[in-house]
């Protein structure tokens, strides 16, 4: 067995047999932002055999304060986060198979992207995606570990289908857009990211090596700045009439096409439009079509088109588009229709 794992193997609750289990394990990480980069770093260094990275975004300089796998070159070249993370992690551990997906996790692809793994780790920044993960988790019987952080506060919870309350037992529905703080509205400090993600990663190791009796099934909450920490028992919150885990209604997995494919990204002054049928047009096609209309920048992962001084369209292979400079769905659809075609 590779000597890189020697210190982990010396930890008796893992040992040689636990390390073998890790090397034969498969996980998916949804979101390669702050939490996701720390999670992926832990999992790859620990020797988890297969790691699937799922993220729709690209690296920006504002990410570098807390998203530990990226550097200025990634931001300068507008590299998709999943690609940049995979390149960095492949240098860390060549024994791990890393599979990046530059895509938006939504109702049309979630079951496919989250199947075939032993565990799902939450590195996302919004509840709609978490409820989608929750639906897939219950439908396919895959455990997942919820995590969130904003400002100096963080939270995490391990969810095991059939054993623990699911996310919809605890929260009936996702909060309305604009009613919760985000990193873009309240900021975030790097320390809380590492606390939350390191807790998630440790629970992940317990699950993957089969140490079920050591799992912490309480909801953990921290506020590093104001010196607060709590652990809340949630076992009694399991609802016999929960739409998801009791009634097997997968409302988020079966979301309406319109709400699922056109989304205002809270706190980012951006709208994402995801075509129901993926486009077969290559980025070169859009470059030729749009460059007579305004400045265009392209790399092999995406194309930027400056539609106006304060409006930018970012086009990904398959036809997904981020419209930056507005959170108005009607304006965004109008711009999409004008330049891409509905």
């Amino acid at each position: 067995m590779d000597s890189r794992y020697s210190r982990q193997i010396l930890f008796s609750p893992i040992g040689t047999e636990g390390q073998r289990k890790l090397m034969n394990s498969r996980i998916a990480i949804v979101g390669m932002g702050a939490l996701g980069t720390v999670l992926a770093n832990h999992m790859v260094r620990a020797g988890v055999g297969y790691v699937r990275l799922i993220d729709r975004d690209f690296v920006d300089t504002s990410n570098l304060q807390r998203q530990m796998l990226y550097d200025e070159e990634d931001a300068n070249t507008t590299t998709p986060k999943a690609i940049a993370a995979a390149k960095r992690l492949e240098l860390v551990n060549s024994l791990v198979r890393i599979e990046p997906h530059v895509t938006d996790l939504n109702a049309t692809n979630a079951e496919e992207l989250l199947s075939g793994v032993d565990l799902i780790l939450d590195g996302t920044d919004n509840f709609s995606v978490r409820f989608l993960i929750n639906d897939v988790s219950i439908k396919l019987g895959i455990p997942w570990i919820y995590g969130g952080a904003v400002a100096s506060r963080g939270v995490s919870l391990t969810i095991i289908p059939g054993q623990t309350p699911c996310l919809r037992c605890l929260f009936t529905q996702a909060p309305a857009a604009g009613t919760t703080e985000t990193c873009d509205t309240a900021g975030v400090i790097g320390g809380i990211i590492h606390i939350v993600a390191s807790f998630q990663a440790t629970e992940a190791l317990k699950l993957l090596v089969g140490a079920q009796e050591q799992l912490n099934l309480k909801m953990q909450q921290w506020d590093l700045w104001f010196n607060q920490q709590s652990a809340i028992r949630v076992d009694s919150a399991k609802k016999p009439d929960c739409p998801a885990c009791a009634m097997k209604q997968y409302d988020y997995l079966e979301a309406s096409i319109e709400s699922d494919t056109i989304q205002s990204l809270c706190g980012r002054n951006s709208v994402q439009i995801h075509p129901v049928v993926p486009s077969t047009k290559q980025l070169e096609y859009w470059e030729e079509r749009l460059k007579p209309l305004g400045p265009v920048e392209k790399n092999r992962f995406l194309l930027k088109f400056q539609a106006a001084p304060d409006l930018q369209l970012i086009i990904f292979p398959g036809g997904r588009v981020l419209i930056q400079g507005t959170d108005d769905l009607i304006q965004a659809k109008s711009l999409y229709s004008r330049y891409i075609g509905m």
Side-chain angles (χ1 to χ4, degrees):
M1 192 169 291
D2 197 286
S3 62
R4 76 180 68 210
Y5 306 127
S6 60
R7 302 304 187 272
Q8 189 162 273
I9 290 169
L10 284 171
F11 180 62
S12 58
I14 293 180
T16 302
E17 183 58 31
Q19 188 62 48
R20 283 201 186 93
K21 289 179 179 178
L22 291 176
M23 293 164 66
N24 290 322
S25 294
R26 297 169 60 88
I27 67 166
I29 302 174
V30 183
M32 287 306 300
L35 291 175
T37 52
V38 178
L39 285 168
N41 203 17
H42 279 305
M43 295 294 96
V44 168
R45 290 178 186 276
V48 173
Y50 170 91
V51 179
R52 186 180 300 157
L53 310 177
I54 304 165
D55 193 280
R56 66 190 179 190
D57 213 345
F58 51 87
V59 182
D60 180 84
T61 53
S62 67
N63 303 146
L64 302 181
Q65 166 253 350
R66 65 200 179 280
Q67 299 183 15
M68 301 299 177
L69 290 178
Y70 311 130
D71 58 28
E72 291 181 351
E73 179 67 14
D74 298 321
N76 292 338
T77 55
T78 321
T79 304
K81 291 180 179 179
I83 300 297
K87 286 175 60 179
R88 195 64 38 82
L89 293 167
E90 284 164 356
L91 297 174
V92 168
N93 193 343
S94 60
L95 302 178
V96 174
R97 182 182 168 196
I98 301 167
E99 184 180 281
H101 291 265
V102 183
T103 190
D104 173 58
L105 189 79
N106 56 62
T108 68
N109 62 16
E111 196 166 342
E112 177 183 0
L113 284 172
L114 299 180
S115 64
V117 297
D118 305 302
L119 176 65
I120 303 166
L121 295 174
D122 170 28
T124 69
D125 59 3
N126 72 82
F127 263 89
S128 293
V129 176
R130 292 181 180 122
F131 277 108
L132 185 59
I133 295 170
N134 191 68
D135 275 1
V136 175
S137 163
I138 294 162
K139 185 174 182 179
L140 302 183
I142 302 170
W144 72 286
I145 303 177
Y146 157 52
V150 66
S152 59
R153 304 186 304 279
V155 61
S156 184
L157 177 67
T158 299
I159 297 172
I160 305 174
Q163 180 178 336
T164 69
C166 78
L167 194 66
R168 289 197 73 183
C169 289
L170 301 169
F171 308 101
T172 305
Q173 61 185 12
T179 61
T180 58
E181 290 182 319
T182 71
C183 294
D184 294 280
T185 60
V188 64
I189 58 173
I192 191 60
I193 300 300
H194 284 265
I195 293 289
V196 174
S198 295
F199 179 85
Q200 290 177 278
T202 304
E203 292 301 291
L205 294 181
K206 294 177 190 177
L207 275 165
L208 295 173
V209 303
Q212 296 274 343
E213 70 283 356
Q214 299 301 329
L215 287 171
N216 186 333
L217 299 179
K218 296 178 181 179
M219 180 178 282
Q220 302 293 317
Q221 296 180 320
W222 303 267
D223 190 322
L224 293 188
W225 199 263
F226 296 101
N227 309 308
Q228 297 171 358
Q229 181 176 351
S230 64
I232 303 170
R233 290 193 60 173
V234 296
D235 47 305
S236 62
K238 190 170 176 61
K239 293 181 179 177
D241 59 349
C242 171
C245 67
M247 310 303 292
K248 309 302 182 188
Q249 295 174 196
Y250 306 121
D251 297 331
Y252 287 82
L253 193 53
E254 298 164 0
S256 71
I257 295 299
E258 175 77 5
S259 64
D260 192 62
T261 58
I262 302 178
Q263 303 169 327
S264 177
L265 304 183
C266 181
R268 295 183 54 184
N269 197 33
S270 298
V271 173
Q272 175 178 261
I273 299 182
H274 198 297
V276 177
V277 179
S279 170
T280 59
K281 302 294 186 185
Q282 302 299 310
L283 294 179
E284 289 77 12
Y285 168 84
W286 295 112
E287 182 179 31
E288 289 301 312
R289 175 169 167 168
L290 296 173
K291 67 181 180 181
L293 306 177
V296 171
E297 295 179 35
K298 180 180 72 69
N299 60 30
R300 63 193 181 99
F301 304 111
L302 54 84
L303 178 144
K304 292 181 178 181
F305 167 60
Q306 199 72 39
D310 57 349
L311 287 169
Q312 181 171 247
L313 276 66
I314 300 173
I315 304 171
F316 295 85
R320 179 168 66 93
V321 178
L322 287 182
I323 299 168
Q324 296 184 321
T326 183
D327 57 9
D328 184 283
L329 298 184
I330 294 174
Q331 183 186 19
K333 288 170 69 175
S334 175
L335 288 164
Y336 185 92
S337 178
R338 183 188 311 166
Y339 294 110
I340 307 299
M342 294 297 281

